[in-house]
Amino acid sequence: MKLKLHIPIIFVSLLLLTSCNAYYNAFYTDPTKCFKIACSKKPYDVIIVPGFPHDSGTVNGILNERIKWANYLYKNGFAKNIIFSGSAVHTPYIEAKIMRLLALQSGIKDENIFIETKAEHTTENLYYSCVLADELGFKTMGFATEPAQSSFMKPFRRKFKLKLDFVPVVTDSINSIPLKPIDERSAFVSNFIPLKKRESALKSLLGTKGQRVKKEIRKAKKLRRKSAHDYDNKWKSNTAN
């Protein structure tokens, strides 16, 4: 009798464990596992680093960590180039430009730094940077940020079939890299209006979920179809003559 009572409990426990593992594999980017994959694939042509709001006169902790991680990946042969992505979103400083200044100070060479300044949401950081990387001829890409943000972007990468690896921050690797305050004037935007005053909460949420990216993808597909149609018409016209 006791055994019969235990069977449903065991079954439910196994089901929950399997569900937890499935959720973990589907959504969480484990830094240790991702780092091992990066070690086997390095060097990447480019590593994409998303922006974070900059506060005047200080080096923000999260921004500081992302720059240090980019420096580590660059100096240790994981990344040939870096794309920093981010517009002036919540503060009047263009995030990508601020990150470039910090990266130069850390020792990353200017010729290996590229910036993307349109993105206002993480989905846009990833998508616009992938478009830029493709335009620059980069084939292998990684996305370098905190594990939580990487995990948030995992379904987005799958949905839009973006060919890149996640290389989330391994904190123990970056503690020894010092950064100092920078002259941020070149990244300052005059007459700045923060995102929360330009977009409603709903529109901002939709942007976070990739609405603007979806529109960009539809627009790009439409342009490709038009280009192919125009080419076909030109070819038919030439062959007819």
Side-chain angles (χ1 to χ4, degrees):
M1 185 69 179
K2 288 183 178 180
L3 181 61
K4 289 183 179 180
L5 289 173
H6 288 160
I7 290 175
I9 296 174
I10 294 170
F11 177 77
V12 171
S13 298
L14 289 173
L15 183 62
L16 287 172
L17 182 61
T18 304
S19 299
C20 288
N21 286 333
Y23 181 87
Y24 178 90
N25 292 327
F27 294 101
Y28 183 61
T29 53
D30 185 295
T32 303
K33 290 182 179 180
C34 290
F35 190 72
K36 286 181 180 179
I37 293 171
C39 285
S40 68
K41 291 188 174 183
K42 72 175 187 177
Y44 291 93
D45 289 340
V46 66
I47 291 290
I48 297 165
V49 184
F52 191 84
H54 172 70
D55 303 314
S56 178
T58 64
V59 180
N60 180 280
I62 293 177
L63 190 56
N64 187 33
E65 185 175 72
R66 292 182 190 179
I67 296 298
K68 287 182 176 182
W69 184 232
N71 176 284
Y72 177 88
L73 295 174
Y74 178 77
K75 292 289 183 66
N76 289 278
F78 287 85
K80 298 177 184 178
N81 302 281
I82 309 287
I83 291 177
F84 294 113
S85 171
S87 183
V89 184
H90 300 292
T91 70
Y93 295 95
I94 298 173
E95 295 170 6
K97 291 185 177 181
I98 289 293
M99 296 176 88
R100 174 185 169 274
L101 292 171
L102 288 167
L104 288 171
Q105 181 203 112
S106 77
I108 299 175
K109 294 181 180 179
D110 196 19
E111 62 261 33
N112 299 125
I113 297 174
F114 301 88
I115 61 172
E116 183 289 308
T117 60
K118 289 171 57 179
E120 295 184 325
H121 301 283
T122 307
T123 49
E124 295 164 20
N125 288 135
L126 187 53
Y127 177 72
Y128 290 142
S129 294
C130 284
V131 171
L132 176 59
D134 186 60
E135 291 173 351
L136 292 168
F138 297 141
K139 302 300 181 184
T140 56
M141 295 175 268
F143 186 66
T145 185
E146 293 78 29
Q149 191 174 31
S150 293
S151 300
F152 174 72
M153 295 306 297
K154 204 171 181 180
F156 180 85
R157 178 189 64 176
R158 185 166 53 246
K159 181 177 181 179
F160 291 102
K161 300 177 181 178
L162 301 176
K163 295 179 180 180
L164 81 164
D165 293 329
F166 290 117
V167 192
V169 177
V170 179
T171 308
D172 293 344
S173 302
I174 61 176
N175 292 334
S176 62
I177 305 170
L179 283 179
K180 299 176 182 178
I182 53 171
D183 181 354
E184 69 256 304
R185 288 175 293 181
S186 62
F188 182 79
V189 175
S190 59
N191 301 318
F192 170 75
I193 302 174
L195 184 66
K196 65 181 181 181
K197 292 187 177 180
R198 290 184 277 120
E199 289 187 354
S200 66
L202 177 59
K203 188 175 181 180
S204 183
L205 176 62
L206 291 173
T208 301
K209 293 175 71 65
Q211 185 186 59
R212 185 173 170 186
V213 169
K214 292 176 185 176
K215 290 180 179 179
E216 293 281 355
I217 290 173
R218 286 197 294 268
K219 182 179 178 181
K221 287 181 178 178
K222 186 176 180 180
L223 287 172
R224 284 196 296 270
R225 285 196 297 268
K226 184 178 184 304
S227 178
H229 179 72
D230 290 345
Y231 177 82
D232 287 342
N233 286 341
K234 184 177 180 180
W235 184 83
K236 290 176 182 177
S237 176
N238 289 339
T239 54
N241 294 331

Coordinates of all heavy atoms in Angstrom, one line a residue, residues 184-240:
E184 N 33.4 62.5 -21.2 CA 32.3 61.9 -21.9 C 31.6 63.0 -22.9 O 30.6 62.7 -23.4 CB 31.2 61.4 -21.0 CG 30.5 62.4 -20.1 CD 31.0 62.5 -18.7 OE1 31.0 61.5 -18.0 OE2 31.4 63.6 -18.3
R185 N 32.2 64.1 -23.0 CA 31.6 65.2 -23.8 C 31.3 64.8 -25.2 O 30.2 65.3 -25.8 CB 32.5 66.5 -23.8 CG 32.5 67.2 -22.4 CD 33.5 68.3 -22.4 NE 34.9 67.9 -22.5 CZ 35.9 68.7 -22.5 NH1 35.7 70.0 -22.4 NH2 37.1 68.2 -22.6
S186 N 32.1 64.0 -25.9 CA 31.9 63.7 -27.3 C 30.7 62.8 -27.4 O 30.2 62.6 -28.5 CB 33.1 63.0 -27.8 OG 33.4 61.8 -27.1
A187 N 30.2 62.2 -26.3 CA 29.0 61.3 -26.4 C 27.7 61.9 -25.9 O 26.7 61.3 -25.9 CB 29.3 60.0 -25.6
F188 N 27.8 63.2 -25.6 CA 26.7 63.9 -25.0 C 25.7 64.4 -26.1 O 26.1 64.8 -27.2 CB 27.1 65.1 -24.2 CG 26.0 65.9 -23.6 CD1 25.5 65.5 -22.4 CD2 25.6 67.1 -24.2 CE1 24.4 66.2 -21.8 CE2 24.5 67.8 -23.6 CZ 24.0 67.4 -22.4
V189 N 24.4 64.2 -25.9 CA 23.4 64.6 -26.8 C 22.6 65.8 -26.2 O 22.0 65.7 -25.1 CB 22.4 63.5 -27.1 CG1 21.2 64.0 -27.9 CG2 23.1 62.3 -27.7
S190 N 22.7 66.9 -26.9 CA 22.0 68.1 -26.4 C 20.5 68.0 -26.7 O 20.1 67.2 -27.6 CB 22.5 69.4 -27.0 OG 22.4 69.3 -28.4
N191 N 19.6 68.7 -26.0 CA 18.2 68.6 -26.1 C 17.6 67.2 -26.0 O 16.7 66.8 -26.7 CB 17.7 69.2 -27.5 CG 18.2 70.7 -27.6 OD1 18.1 71.5 -26.7 ND2 18.7 71.0 -28.8
F192 N 18.2 66.4 -25.1 CA 17.9 65.0 -25.0 C 16.5 64.8 -24.3 O 16.2 65.6 -23.3 CB 19.0 64.3 -24.1 CG 18.6 62.9 -23.7 CD1 18.6 61.9 -24.6 CD2 18.2 62.7 -22.4 CE1 18.3 60.6 -24.2 CE2 17.9 61.4 -22.0 CZ 17.9 60.3 -22.9
I193 N 15.8 63.9 -24.8 CA 14.5 63.5 -24.2 C 14.6 62.0 -23.9 O 14.8 61.2 -24.7 CB 13.3 63.7 -25.1 CG1 13.2 65.2 -25.5 CG2 12.0 63.3 -24.5 CD1 12.2 65.5 -26.6
P194 N 14.5 61.6 -22.6 CA 14.6 60.2 -22.2 C 13.5 59.4 -22.8 O 12.4 59.8 -23.1 CB 14.5 60.2 -20.7 CG 13.8 61.5 -20.3 CD 14.2 62.5 -21.4
L195 N 13.8 58.1 -22.9 CA 12.9 57.2 -23.6 C 11.5 57.1 -22.9 O 10.5 57.0 -23.6 CB 13.5 55.7 -23.6 CG 12.7 54.7 -24.3 CD1 12.6 54.9 -25.8 CD2 13.2 53.3 -24.0
K196 N 11.4 57.2 -21.6 CA 10.2 57.1 -20.9 C 9.2 58.3 -21.2 O 8.0 58.2 -21.0 CB 10.4 57.0 -19.4 CG 11.1 58.2 -18.7 CD 11.3 58.0 -17.2 CE 11.9 59.2 -16.6 NZ 12.1 59.0 -15.1
K197 N 9.8 59.4 -21.7 CA 9.0 60.5 -22.1 C 8.6 60.5 -23.6 O 7.8 61.2 -24.1 CB 9.7 61.8 -21.8 CG 9.8 62.1 -20.3 CD 10.3 63.5 -20.0 CE 10.4 63.7 -18.5 NZ 10.9 65.1 -18.1
R198 N 9.3 59.6 -24.3 CA 9.1 59.5 -25.8 C 8.2 58.3 -26.1 O 7.5 58.2 -27.1 CB 10.4 59.3 -26.5 CG 11.3 60.5 -26.6 CD 12.5 60.3 -27.4 NE 13.6 59.7 -26.7 CZ 14.1 58.5 -27.0 NH1 13.7 57.9 -28.1 NH2 15.1 58.0 -26.3
E199 N 8.1 57.3 -25.2 CA 7.3 56.1 -25.4 C 6.5 55.8 -24.2 O 6.9 56.1 -23.0 CB 8.2 54.9 -25.6 CG 8.9 54.9 -26.9 CD 9.7 53.6 -27.2 OE1 9.7 52.7 -26.2 OE2 10.2 53.4 -28.3
S200 N 5.3 55.3 -24.4 CA 4.4 54.9 -23.3 C 5.0 53.6 -22.7 O 5.9 52.9 -23.3 CB 3.0 54.6 -23.8 OG 3.0 53.5 -24.7
A201 N 4.6 53.2 -21.5 CA 5.1 52.0 -20.9 C 4.8 50.8 -21.8 O 5.6 49.8 -21.9 CB 4.4 51.8 -19.5
L202 N 3.6 50.7 -22.4 CA 3.2 49.6 -23.3 C 4.2 49.6 -24.5 O 4.7 48.5 -24.9 CB 1.8 49.8 -23.8 CG 1.3 48.7 -24.7 CD1 1.4 47.3 -24.1 CD2 -0.1 49.0 -25.2
K203 N 4.4 50.7 -25.2 CA 5.2 50.7 -26.3 C 6.7 50.3 -26.0 O 7.3 49.6 -26.8 CB 5.2 52.1 -27.0 CG 5.9 52.2 -28.3 CD 5.8 53.6 -29.0 CE 6.5 53.6 -30.3 NZ 6.4 54.9 -31.0
S204 N 7.1 50.8 -24.8 CA 8.5 50.4 -24.4 C 8.6 48.9 -24.2 O 9.6 48.2 -24.5 CB 8.8 51.1 -23.1 OG 10.1 50.8 -22.7
L205 N 7.5 48.3 -23.6 CA 7.5 46.9 -23.3 C 7.5 46.1 -24.7 O 8.3 45.1 -24.8 CB 6.2 46.5 -22.5 CG 6.0 45.0 -22.3 CD1 7.2 44.4 -21.5 CD2 4.7 44.7 -21.6
L206 N 6.7 46.6 -25.6 CA 6.7 45.9 -26.9 C 8.1 46.1 -27.6 O 8.5 45.1 -28.3 CB 5.6 46.6 -27.8 CG 4.2 46.3 -27.4 CD1 3.2 47.1 -28.2 CD2 3.9 44.8 -27.5
G207 N 8.7 47.2 -27.4 CA 10.1 47.4 -28.0 C 11.1 46.4 -27.3 O 11.9 45.8 -28.0
T208 N 10.9 46.2 -26.0 CA 11.8 45.2 -25.3 C 11.5 43.8 -25.9 O 12.5 43.0 -25.9 CB 11.5 45.2 -23.8 OG1 11.7 46.5 -23.3 CG2 12.3 44.2 -23.1
K209 N 10.3 43.5 -26.3 CA 10.0 42.2 -26.8 C 10.3 42.0 -28.3 O 10.0 41.0 -28.9 CB 8.5 41.9 -26.5 CG 8.2 41.7 -25.0 CD 6.7 41.6 -24.8 CE 6.2 40.2 -25.3 NZ 6.8 39.1 -24.5
G210 N 10.8 43.1 -28.9 CA 11.2 43.0 -30.3 C 10.3 43.5 -31.4 O 10.5 43.2 -32.5
Q211 N 9.3 44.4 -31.0 CA 8.4 44.8 -32.0 C 9.1 45.6 -33.1 O 8.8 45.4 -34.3 CB 7.3 45.7 -31.4 CG 6.2 46.2 -32.4 CD 5.2 47.1 -31.8 OE1 5.6 48.2 -31.3 NE2 4.0 46.8 -31.7
R212 N 10.0 46.5 -32.7 CA 10.7 47.3 -33.7 C 11.6 46.4 -34.6 O 11.7 46.7 -35.8 CB 11.6 48.4 -33.0 CG 12.3 49.3 -33.9 CD 12.9 50.4 -33.1 NE 13.8 51.3 -33.9 CZ 14.6 52.2 -33.4 NH1 14.6 52.4 -32.1 NH2 15.4 52.9 -34.1
V213 N 12.2 45.4 -34.1 CA 13.0 44.5 -34.8 C 12.1 43.7 -35.8 O 12.5 43.5 -37.0 CB 13.7 43.5 -33.9 CG1 14.3 42.3 -34.7 CG2 14.7 44.2 -33.1
K214 N 10.9 43.3 -35.4 CA 10.0 42.6 -36.4 C 9.7 43.5 -37.6 O 9.7 43.0 -38.7 CB 8.7 42.2 -35.6 CG 8.9 41.2 -34.6 CD 7.6 40.9 -33.9 CE 7.8 39.9 -32.7 NZ 6.5 39.7 -32.0
K215 N 9.5 44.8 -37.3 CA 9.2 45.7 -38.4 C 10.4 45.9 -39.3 O 10.3 45.9 -40.5 CB 8.8 47.1 -37.8 CG 7.5 47.1 -37.1 CD 7.2 48.5 -36.6 CE 5.8 48.6 -35.9 NZ 5.5 49.9 -35.4
E216 N 11.6 45.9 -38.7 CA 12.8 46.0 -39.5 C 13.0 44.8 -40.4 O 13.4 44.9 -41.5 CB 14.0 46.2 -38.6 CG 14.1 47.5 -37.8 CD 14.5 48.7 -38.7 OE1 14.9 48.5 -39.8 OE2 14.5 49.8 -38.2
I217 N 12.7 43.6 -39.8 CA 12.9 42.4 -40.6 C 11.9 42.3 -41.8 O 12.3 41.9 -42.9 CB 12.7 41.2 -39.7 CG1 13.9 41.1 -38.7 CG2 12.6 39.9 -40.5 CD1 13.8 40.0 -37.6
R218 N 10.7 42.7 -41.5 CA 9.7 42.8 -42.6 C 10.1 43.7 -43.7 O 9.9 43.5 -44.9 CB 8.3 43.1 -42.0 CG 7.6 42.0 -41.2 CD 6.1 42.3 -41.0 NE 5.9 43.4 -40.2 CZ 5.7 43.4 -38.9 NH1 5.8 42.2 -38.3 NH2 5.5 44.5 -38.2
K219 N 10.6 44.9 -43.3 CA 11.0 45.9 -44.2 C 12.2 45.4 -45.1 O 12.2 45.6 -46.3 CB 11.5 47.2 -43.4 CG 11.9 48.3 -44.3 CD 12.3 49.5 -43.5 CE 12.8 50.7 -44.3 NZ 13.2 51.8 -43.5
A220 N 13.2 44.7 -44.4 CA 14.3 44.1 -45.1 C 13.9 43.1 -46.1 O 14.4 43.0 -47.3 CB 15.3 43.5 -44.1
K221 N 12.9 42.2 -45.7 CA 12.4 41.2 -46.6 C 11.7 41.8 -47.8 O 11.9 41.3 -49.0 CB 11.4 40.3 -45.9 CG 12.1 39.3 -44.9 CD 11.1 38.4 -44.2 CE 11.8 37.4 -43.3 NZ 10.8 36.6 -42.6
K222 N 10.9 42.9 -47.6 CA 10.2 43.6 -48.7 C 11.2 44.2 -49.6 O 11.0 44.1 -50.9 CB 9.3 44.7 -48.1 CG 8.5 45.3 -49.1 CD 7.5 46.4 -48.4 CE 6.6 47.0 -49.4 NZ 5.7 48.0 -48.8
L223 N 12.3 44.7 -49.1 CA 13.3 45.3 -50.0 C 14.0 44.3 -50.8 O 14.3 44.5 -52.0 CB 14.3 46.1 -49.2 CG 13.9 47.4 -48.6 CD1 14.9 48.0 -47.6 CD2 13.6 48.4 -49.7
R224 N 14.3 43.1 -50.2 CA 14.9 42.0 -50.9 C 14.1 41.5 -52.0 O 14.5 41.2 -53.1 CB 15.3 40.9 -50.0 CG 16.5 41.2 -49.1 CD 17.1 39.9 -48.5 NE 16.1 39.3 -47.6 CZ 16.1 39.5 -46.3 NH1 16.9 40.4 -45.7 NH2 15.2 38.9 -45.5
R225 N 12.7 41.4 -51.7 CA 11.8 40.9 -52.8 C 11.7 41.9 -53.9 O 11.7 41.5 -55.1 CB 10.4 40.7 -52.2 CG 10.3 39.4 -51.3 CD 8.8 39.1 -51.1 NE 8.1 40.1 -50.3 CZ 8.0 40.1 -49.0 NH1 8.6 39.2 -48.3 NH2 7.4 41.1 -48.4
K226 N 11.7 43.2 -53.6 CA 11.7 44.2 -54.6 C 12.9 44.2 -55.5 O 12.9 44.3 -56.7 CB 11.5 45.6 -54.0 CG 11.3 46.7 -55.0 CD 11.2 48.1 -54.3 CE 10.9 49.2 -55.3 NZ 12.0 49.3 -56.3
S227 N 14.1 44.0 -54.8 CA 15.3 44.0 -55.5 C 15.4 42.8 -56.5 O 15.8 42.9 -57.6 CB 16.5 43.9 -54.5 OG 17.7 43.8 -55.2
A228 N 14.9 41.6 -56.0 CA 14.9 40.4 -56.8 C 13.9 40.6 -58.0 O 14.2 40.2 -59.1 CB 14.5 39.2 -56.0
H229 N 12.8 41.2 -57.7 CA 11.8 41.5 -58.8 C 12.4 42.4 -59.9 O 12.2 42.1 -61.1 CB 10.5 42.1 -58.2 CG 9.5 42.4 -59.2 ND1 8.7 41.4 -59.8 CD2 9.0 43.6 -59.7 CE1 7.9 42.0 -60.7 NE2 8.0 43.3 -60.6
D230 N 13.0 43.5 -59.4 CA 13.6 44.4 -60.3 C 14.7 43.7 -61.2 O 14.9 44.0 -62.4 CB 14.2 45.6 -59.6 CG 13.2 46.5 -59.0 OD1 12.0 46.4 -59.4 OD2 13.5 47.3 -58.1
Y231 N 15.5 42.8 -60.5 CA 16.6 42.1 -61.2 C 16.0 41.2 -62.3 O 16.5 41.1 -63.4 CB 17.4 41.3 -60.2 CG 18.5 40.5 -60.9 CD1 19.7 41.0 -61.2 CD2 18.2 39.1 -61.2 CE1 20.7 40.3 -61.9 CE2 19.2 38.4 -61.8 CZ 20.4 38.9 -62.1 OH 21.4 38.2 -62.7
D232 N 14.9 40.5 -61.9 CA 14.2 39.6 -62.9 C 13.7 40.4 -64.1 O 13.9 39.9 -65.3 CB 13.1 38.9 -62.2 CG 13.5 37.8 -61.3 OD1 14.7 37.4 -61.4 OD2 12.7 37.4 -60.4
N233 N 13.1 41.5 -63.8 CA 12.6 42.4 -64.9 C 13.7 42.9 -65.8 O 13.6 42.9 -67.1 CB 11.8 43.5 -64.4 CG 10.4 43.1 -63.8 OD1 9.9 42.1 -64.1 ND2 9.9 44.0 -63.0
K234 N 14.8 43.3 -65.2 CA 16.0 43.7 -66.0 C 16.5 42.6 -66.8 O 16.9 42.8 -68.0 CB 17.0 44.3 -65.0 CG 18.2 44.9 -65.8 CD 19.2 45.5 -64.7 CE 20.4 46.2 -65.5 NZ 21.3 46.8 -64.5
W235 N 16.6 41.4 -66.2 CA 17.2 40.3 -67.0 C 16.3 39.9 -68.1 O 16.8 39.6 -69.2 CB 17.3 39.1 -66.0 CG 18.0 37.9 -66.6 CD1 19.3 37.6 -66.8 CD2 17.3 36.8 -67.2 NE1 19.5 36.4 -67.4 CE2 18.3 35.9 -67.7 CE3 15.9 36.4 -67.4 CZ2 17.9 34.7 -68.3 CZ3 15.6 35.2 -68.0 CH2 16.6 34.4 -68.5
K236 N 15.0 39.9 -67.9 CA 14.0 39.6 -69.0 C 14.1 40.6 -70.1 O 14.0 40.2 -71.3 CB 12.6 39.5 -68.4 CG 12.3 38.3 -67.5 CD 10.9 38.4 -66.9 CE 10.7 37.2 -66.0 NZ 9.4 37.3 -65.4
S237 N 14.3 41.9 -69.7 CA 14.4 42.9 -70.7 C 15.6 42.8 -71.6 O 15.6 42.9 -72.8 CB 14.4 44.3 -70.0 OG 14.5 45.3 -71.0
N238 N 16.7 42.4 -70.9 CA 18.0 42.3 -71.6 C 18.0 41.1 -72.6 O 18.5 41.1 -73.7 CB 19.2 42.1 -70.6 CG 19.5 43.4 -69.9 OD1 19.1 44.5 -70.4 ND2 20.1 43.3 -68.7
T239 N 17.4 40.0 -72.1 CA 17.3 38.8 -72.9 C 16.4 39.0 -74.1 O 16.6 38.4 -75.2 CB 16.9 37.5 -72.1 OG1 15.6 37.9 -71.4 CG2 17.9 37.2 -71.1
A240 N 15.3 39.8 -73.9 CA 14.4 40.0 -75.0 C 15.0 40.9 -76.1 O 14.7 40.7 -77.3 CB 13.2 40.8 -74.4

